[in-house]
Amino acid sequence: MTGWFSFLDGEATAGDVLALHRVEEVLRDAGLPHDVVWSPGFRADARHFADVDPAAYSQLVFVCGPAHGPQVEELHRRFAHCVRIAVGVSVVDPGSPAVTGFHRVLARDAAGREPTLDLAARAPALPARPVVGVVLTHGQHEYGPQRRHDQVAAGVTRWLSARDCARLELETRLDAHDWRLCGTPAQLEAVLSRLDLVVTDRLHGLVLALRAGTPALAVDPVAGGAKVTAQARACGWPALVAAERLGADVLDRWWQWCLTDGREAARRIGAGFRADARPDGADGLVAALGVRPAD
């Protein structure tokens, strides 16, 4: 079993891997044993072409993607003795050696043919995974030697890369002209409210997550604690990690809490914000201005 996910210079897309799962399901149901070849750049500990003896196989199945290019043509040469079948592929050039080298092509789309459903659509159902917004800053130079922003960002992202979750990098900065950024606070809040968790070292990453009723795992990137710590205290939010205590064990503990008890705690705090249950600086502004409130 091979595909673009097998080539060193190819790529493993979610669609290609799901297509592979669909074909594996069919082969398992039919009682047909098979091996899968992966790119070493994607799965270093799996079977790679360098490990494969073509003589050990009698059939080759190429899954998904375009049946096109020198990598596919090389498969035909290396596995010339095998029955070669392409399934769920796009046929760009039917006269290409990459296409004509297959004994059978079960195409998903080709000129003059009715398209068939992509293999990924009927792949086995997947277990749910938490969706995590990541809001980090590399700035705040006003904190001088107390800055631990680079170390915090490196530690948090390294830790996150090992978590089985869907990660979404977010930015609190608004820009009406850059399509990659939200243009209004309402747009950002719409995203935050749909997440399972926010991981952040920004004050507003913490506050806006809680405002949306979403738990936040906050890390203060300033040695000794600064505004993130102060704001977590003002919000009554416990999931806070000091830069000096950053480590997988403490992050794991707060991760688990945020995805369990922290969900209700965040909803409760967000509701308190909307009910004006906690004071802020604006409550004393009129008095500070020396203006008598209107009746």
Side-chain angles (χ1 to χ4, degrees):
M1 295 273 287
T2 182
W4 287 98
F5 48 80
S6 307
F7 300 136
L8 181 60
D9 298 320
E11 60 179 12
T13 71
D16 287 350
V17 174
L18 283 172
L20 170 65
H21 291 172
R22 166 63 179 150
V23 174
E24 286 191 293
E25 179 183 54
V26 169
L27 295 182
R28 282 195 301 269
D29 289 347
L32 297 175
H34 59 277
D35 293 327
V36 178
V37 179
W38 294 96
S39 166
F42 182 61
R43 293 191 177 171
D45 58 348
R47 179 179 285 99
H48 310 137
F49 274 127
D51 309 320
V52 171
D53 176 11
Y57 299 92
S58 60
Q59 296 171 308
L60 178 141
V61 177
F62 185 88
V63 180
C64 199
H68 184 80
Q71 297 101 319
V72 181
E73 293 175 22
E74 174 60 24
L75 287 179
H76 295 313
R77 289 188 288 270
R78 187 175 180 192
F79 294 85
H81 65 286
C82 289
V83 174
R84 299 178 301 282
I85 299 173
V87 56
V89 297
S90 293
V91 176
V92 180
D93 177 6
S96 164
V99 176
T100 59
F102 288 109
H103 295 88
R104 290 285 307 277
V105 176
L106 307 175
R108 67 182 172 193
D109 55 85
R113 298 187 192 178
E114 188 68 20
T116 62
L117 192 64
D118 182 75
L119 295 170
R122 291 182 57 199
L126 301 174
R129 294 292 183 264
V131 181
V132 180
V134 184
V135 186
L136 301 175
T137 177
H138 297 275
Q140 301 179 343
H141 295 278
E142 62 269 23
Y143 288 104
Q146 276 68 52
R147 291 183 75 258
R148 300 292 185 271
H149 294 62
D150 291 342
Q151 299 97 310
V152 165
V156 167
T157 53
R158 183 170 56 250
W159 169 76
L160 271 173
S161 68
R163 306 301 304 188
D164 189 4
C165 65
R167 294 167 287 273
L168 181 63
E169 185 176 16
L170 297 174
E171 174 61 70
T172 58
R173 180 171 64 88
L174 303 178
D175 193 322
H177 307 289
D178 188 339
W179 68 269
R180 294 166 296 184
L181 299 176
C182 292
T184 67
Q187 293 172 10
L188 180 58
E189 189 166 294
V191 176
L192 295 173
S193 66
R194 288 164 170 79
L195 300 175
D196 295 303
L197 173 64
V198 171
V199 175
T200 185
D201 66 356
R202 305 200 69 155
L203 179 154
H204 281 126
L206 166 63
V207 173
L208 298 183
L210 295 179
R211 173 185 163 90
T214 300
L217 200 174
V219 181
D220 194 322
V222 179
K227 60 185 180 181
V228 175
T229 296
Q231 196 57 215
R233 180 179 177 183
C235 294
W237 185 250
L240 174 73
V241 180
E244 300 89 337
R245 297 192 59 226
L246 186 67
D249 55 344
V250 67
L251 290 170
D252 287 346
R253 179 165 59 87
W254 283 121
W255 169 279
Q256 184 62 31
W257 181 83
C258 284
L259 292 176
T260 53
D261 295 344
R263 295 178 186 269
E264 179 54 35
R267 285 192 288 267
R268 186 170 59 250
I269 290 174
F273 291 170
R274 293 187 291 276
D276 301 327
R278 293 180 182 271
D280 64 15
D283 290 323
L285 177 59
V286 173
L289 290 171
V291 177
R292 183 176 178 178
D295 293 333

